[in-house]
Amino acid sequence: MNQMAHPNSDQRQPMLKVSHLTHRVSLETDTLTILQGVNLEINRGESVAIVGRSGSGKTTLLGLLAGLDTPSEGKVELDGSVISDLSEDARAQLRARRVGFVFQSFQLLPALTALENVMLPLELAGIEQPEARARELLERVGLGERLGHTPRQLSGGEQQRVAIARAFASDPVVLFADEPTGNLDNRTGQSVSDLLMALNREQGTTLVMVTHDEQLAARCGRQFHIEAGELTEPGSAREAAD
Amino acid sequence: MVAAEKLMSVRRDWRERDVRVVLVALIIAVATVATIALFASQLQRTLVTSASSFLAADRQLEAENGREIPPEWMHEATRRGLETGRMIEFSTMVFGTGGFQLVSVKAVSDEYPLRGEIEFQASPDGTRTLASGGPAPGEVWINPRLLRLLELEIGDSLDVGSRSLTVSGLLIREPDGGFRLSALAPRVMMHVDDVPSTGVIQEGSRVEYVYLFAGEEPVLDEYHEWLKPQLHPSHEWEGVRDGETFSRSLQRAERFLLLGGSLAVLLASVAVAVASRQYSLSQRDTVALLKTLGLNGAGIGRLYLRRLGLWGLAGVVGGLLVALPLFWLLTRILSDVLERPVDFYLDPAALAPALLTALVSLFAFAYPPIRRLRQVPAMRVLRSQPGESGREAIPDIVVAILAVFGLVWLYAGELVLVVSLLGGLVLLLAVLGLVGWALMALLRHVKGGGSAWRLALVGLYRHRRASLSQMAVFSMTLMLAATLVLVRSSLLDDWQAQLPEDTPNHFLINISPGSVEEVSEYWQENGQPLSQLYPMVRGRLTELNGRPVKEAVSKDERINALNRELNLTWMASLPADNEIIEGAWFKEGQTEGVSVESQLAGRLGLQIGDRLTFTIGSAKVTEPVTSIRTVQWDSMKPNFYMAFPPNGGLTDMPATWITSFYLPDQGKQALNEFSRRFPTISVLEIDHIIERIQLIVGQVTRAIEAILALILAAALVVMAAVVSATLKDRQREGALLRTLGGRQSLLVRSTMMEFALLGGFAGLIGVAAAEAAVWALQYGMFEGSFQWHWPIVISVPLVSAMVLALFGRWQLGPVLNVSPMLLLRRLE
Ligand SMILES: Nc1ncnc2c1ncn2[C@@H]1O[C@H](COP(=O)(O)OP(=O)(O)OP(=O)(O)O)[C@@H](O)[C@H]1O
Ligand SMILES: [Mg+2]
């Protein structure tokens, strides 16, 4: 499972480059500034943690980085493409090939089995033999016996593992994880984060993760703090990255 | 639990989509059923009065013996509170400026008509108006043709016997001027008080005294009971005349409405069922939460029961608010059709089905899933529990189906209808199960991929539970709608076939054998060739197998045909619209036997081989029954109870000839000349009657179309309800697919294809089941033979595929134009 070669993936280029990112939403009465002048650069293969209080804008930032939303101001460059300038369809195509996402609340489709949930991104990317690949991944996350079960029949931790298998299915170059262990107990959280770090290492995926969990954050190469929409990088843990 | 109750307020409810769907379904259910039931009952009442207007009264007493009835009989009727009137009918010569003419006079009393109206025209180019009474003493109204024949003008005088009367108007149509061969010559209407002074009626003249009665049905029946022992055989008590094309059309329209109403009941219950099941599923989390807050099962039951009650009330009130204006509109159409005011009357009995529908659909469909809410474990709050397997819903479904068919039965009172529909539905479910199983077995092997087609097929398989249940509801809905469309078209075709453009609208009667050829030539020259002329011999049926016929037939059978002279004929070949149902038609050269009309044969209990004796003048003819045939009485062609073979029993009997033919408006000139050249031949103009029937059929058709539209709208709402039941899931899926990198166009195409497939299959199955139900209905309720209706068989699946594809597209709408981030946040 080697990383796919992309025409514009230059190994020296940063994976993610964010400049002057500002995001506002307009509410009924006024506008709310969620993110304010965020600058960020993340290299290939790095693992990065973003920590911050609830409501500080973590999920919003992650969504913008992954191209799930367009920022009000600023530029997001992912693997050489300025995604903040791309059309929705072009961003979708980019996501299909290069981005994986693990959501705070799993976001599995209740009607589909674990296997089918994992096959979904493979099918969308038009990858041959999606079933074999999906099986392999589910086995990797320890759910080889639960292929035919629907999310309702799985526990929270199991659901999150299916979500992780799905995120890795299409061989992403960058994986975004939004509090992957937030809904889980300590031990399950531990095994899920082990899994994430292992997959990050094995596949050379760049990992950007939001978490409350100090321990998990400490396992990442770099840590960022976000507070009231502003991002800071405390200390200089930079050298621990590679 | 004040807060909990607040949670349940109806205003809050309305903001919930699932509740809105339940309420809209209920409102449509109540509205359709109420409108149709009200209109059907209106039509029924109108039918009775319309039929009455064919008699100009509710009942007629005809004295054919040329004598007036004893005055006590009329006094007795008045004493019992009945309205009465009288008229005298006779034929005579009248004299005007341009010569003389044999006419048929109807002299009427002031009360005439007790029912219906006279259509009247003050001058040849004046407008037609409706009058509720006949001419005043000293005046006459005459047929427009007579005006031309006698070169009269309004205001001229016309001599009837020794009396000179002023022509004060033209008689266009009389309510009881139905199609009668006895009304041969042009009509003249005068006042009954002027009759003695004409001196026309003398001892032995051929006069018919007719007495009119109107009032409450029971009083009329009691009066008849009182009168019956005193009646002479020549007295004929006549009630509502059946077999009139007009009332038959309306009767069939009524049956159609009944069917439509039943289907509306079914559709509405399906909508309520789907919507409320969805609602109860969406309520599970709320219920679990309430339980953790300390509310027990009984409390929850009460809470939801009260809600159901409120919804029921809202549904009924809302439904009636929709139904009443619609009903009002339909009564306007009806009163246009009948050219007289139809009262806007809310029959309480007709409102009952609507209320019952609301109740039954709420309690048979909405209650069971909601009742099961009580068993939702509080644990659900902590950990999402497996949903209902659907198995526990099976007893509910059985109960619900029984309930709804009970409802239809109660509503339509037609076992055939219920059985046909139930049979159709069972067949449908069986086919659906089979097709669904096969389909899923096939789809299992489809591998997903980047193409929209493969994604659509995979989607169909992955959503198999939702797909199959949606397919069940769609095909059921489509079956019901298609059934209605099919029945409607066969109904309309029948009507059209019954009275085509060139329906004969003139009869020529009393053509002497010697002038048959000349008459044929005349019309040949004038561009209206006569298709067929029939000989006509008048005679009475007097003996059956050698016994006097009145003894041979049971007493309580009232058979008009035995009281008057029958029109007998001979013919070589069976008329195209007659059909032999027993025995065989005359072979070539056969001279023995007689063919009898089937209804009369039934009433007389005739069998093939029975010997009938007819008295014709002073001669007697006896022939065995060799065939029994059906007759299209409303074909506007000469029809006969008894047909003999050529050179058979009627040979050498005094015959005149009769024919009917179509004469367009511009042919009236030729008709006038014809009357002048053949003064002894009677011309019977029925073009006004036919025009009117065609008008009525047209209007009734429109009313039916309105009802059909209403029901199709209900069907669409049901489908929308079903689609929207999975709306949230589908949107979440769409949002997720987009975050996973699915392109919009791919998403749109695969979703539309998936829905189109679903719709196409549902359409195919629905249409097949509809054909089956129509096949059963054709035999049970409406006459006619069955055939495949290819245009519908093809178009229903196509249209349903298209409609569903659009529904699918509509569902995706919000997913496409919003950033996936926002969507996921919203759908959380
Ligand atoms: N579309 C929106 N409309 C209104 N408010 C929004 C919207 N998106 C985000 N917000 C608000 O912006 C703030 C940041 O939201 P975000 O979800 O990014 O927080 P978060 O850091 O992920 O919090 P948590 O740790 O609780 O998940 C919150 O106050 C949220 O309510
Ligand atoms: Mg968050």
Side-chain angles (χ1 to χ4, degrees), chain A:
Chain A
M1 253 153 278
N2 297 315
Q3 186 174 323
M4 284 191 278
H6 296 295
N8 54 351
S9 55
D10 178 345
Q11 294 301 319
R12 282 154 306 169
Q13 232 183 357
M15 187 52 147
L16 253 173
K17 195 170 156 192
V18 174
S19 41
H20 310 296
L21 188 72
T22 295
H23 194 60
R24 298 186 199 92
V25 290
S26 39
L27 305 175
E28 273 131 51
T29 47
D30 55 337
T31 49
L32 180 70
T33 305
I34 304 174
L35 293 174
Q36 179 74 53
V38 172
N39 292 302
L40 178 68
E41 225 179 273
I42 297 172
N43 292 321
R44 280 169 205 285
E46 259 190 310
S47 60
V48 170
I50 300 172
V51 289
R53 297 246 292 277
S54 176
S56 53
K58 302 182 297 288
T59 301
T60 309
L61 177 61
L62 217 57
L64 289 171
L65 296 184
L68 293 179
D69 208 346
T70 41
S72 313
E73 281 168 32
K75 204 166 92 169
V76 179
E77 210 178 311
L78 186 128
D79 200 10
S81 328
V82 182
I83 56 171
S84 40
D85 289 350
L86 292 180
S87 73
E88 173 50 38
D89 263 355
R91 275 185 284 139
Q93 224 163 349
L94 191 80
R95 284 197 297 270
R97 301 240 192 82
R98 285 183 252 170
V99 178
F101 212 109
V102 177
F103 300 92
Q104 197 166 357
S105 48
F106 318 149
Q107 300 286 7
L108 298 176
L109 290 180
L112 306 194
T113 61
L115 185 68
E116 288 165 345
N117 264 296
V118 177
M119 281 163 66
L120 216 53
L122 294 170
E123 287 166 355
L124 285 174
I127 289 171
E128 289 300 310
Q129 304 233 291
E131 201 177 323
R133 171 96 176 110
R135 265 175 206 284
E136 194 183 324
L137 276 160
L138 280 168
E139 265 156 34
R140 177 70 189 78
V141 300
L143 290 173
E145 309 293 304
R146 314 293 299 270
L147 300 177
H149 291 185
T150 59
R152 283 190 182 288
Q153 295 164 315
L154 300 173
S155 75
E158 286 161 348
Q159 289 185 45
Q160 191 63 304
R161 280 188 279 162
V162 174
I164 289 171
R166 182 181 63 188
F168 278 100
S170 55
D171 249 333
V173 293
V174 54
L175 182 85
F176 297 95
D178 190 0
E179 300 193 34
T181 61
N183 281 320
L184 307 173
D185 66 85
N186 260 341
R187 270 199 41 210
T188 317
Q190 185 73 32
S191 70
V192 165
S193 52
D194 285 347
L195 186 64
L196 266 178
M197 302 311 281
L199 286 168
N200 165 236
R201 237 177 297 116
E202 281 167 24
Q203 312 204 0
T205 314
T206 310
L207 179 65
V208 183
M209 177 162 54
V210 163
T211 183
H212 290 305
D213 186 344
E214 297 291 331
Q215 266 186 326
L216 181 55
R219 293 174 71 181
C220 294
R222 285 160 78 197
Q223 293 172 22
F224 289 89
H225 263 285
I226 186 167
E227 202 172 329
E230 294 193 43
L231 194 74
T232 51
E233 187 177 8
S236 50
R238 204 175 281 247
E239 60 274 12
D242 296 315

Side-chain angles (χ1 to χ4, degrees), chain B residues 624-682:
Chain B
V625 176
T626 52
S627 67
I628 292 175
R629 80 205 131 82
T630 60
V631 166
Q632 282 321 136
W633 286 112
D634 44 22
S635 65
M636 302 296 164
K637 290 176 190 151
N639 283 307
F640 301 91
Y641 280 120
M642 303 290 175
F644 294 73
N647 305 317
L650 295 184
T651 319
D652 302 332
M653 295 295 165
T656 58
W657 294 68
I658 177 173
T659 189
S660 69
F661 67 111
Y662 174 72
L663 184 67
D665 270 352
Q666 62 268 29
K668 288 284 180 191
Q669 195 53 45
L671 192 66
N672 287 336
E673 207 192 307
F674 178 82
S675 295
R676 229 168 275 130
R677 240 177 87 184
F678 303 93
T680 56
I681 294 177
S682 305

Side-chain angles (χ1 to χ4, degrees), chain A residues 59-60 62-64 67-70 88-89 91-93 95-96 101 103 105 107-113 116-117 119-121 123-128 130-131 152-155 166, chain B residues 380 383-387 447-451 454-455 458 461-464 729 732-734 736-747 816 818-822 824-825 827-828:
Chain A
T59 301
T60 309
L62 217 57
L64 289 171
L68 293 179
D69 208 346
T70 41
E88 173 50 38
D89 263 355
R91 275 185 284 139
Q93 224 163 349
R95 284 197 297 270
F101 212 109
F103 300 92
S105 48
Q107 300 286 7
L108 298 176
L109 290 180
L112 306 194
T113 61
E116 288 165 345
N117 264 296
M119 281 163 66
L120 216 53
E123 287 166 355
L124 285 174
I127 289 171
E128 289 300 310
E131 201 177 323
R152 283 190 182 288
Q153 295 164 315
L154 300 173
S155 75
R166 182 181 63 188
Chain B
R380 198 185 158 83
R383 189 179 180 282
S384 153
Q385 302 273 317
K447 293 279 171 278
S451 90
R454 279 159 81 187
L455 274 182
V458 167
Y461 177 69
R462 299 231 170 115
H463 303 123
R464 56 193 170 274
D729 289 345
R732 167 170 298 126
E733 190 175 323
L736 204 68
L737 283 173
R738 277 188 56 202
T739 63
L740 293 179
R743 283 195 305 182
Q744 293 194 2
S745 57
L746 183 71
L747 213 65
L816 295 179
V818 180
S819 82
M821 195 71 210
L822 205 61
L824 290 175
R825 229 178 244 286
L827 294 170
E828 206 96 287

Side-chain angles (χ1 to χ4, degrees), chain B residues 508-525 530 533-534 655-659 674-675 677-682:
Chain B
L508 302 180
I509 298 158
N510 212 13
I511 306 169
S512 65
S515 53
V516 166
E517 210 153 300
E518 223 178 317
V519 167
S520 292
E521 268 164 28
Y522 178 87
W523 286 111
Q524 184 79 45
E525 281 161 24
L530 306 176
L533 286 106
Y534 296 92
T656 58
W657 294 68
I658 177 173
T659 189
F674 178 82
S675 295
R677 240 177 87 184
F678 303 93
T680 56
I681 294 177
S682 305

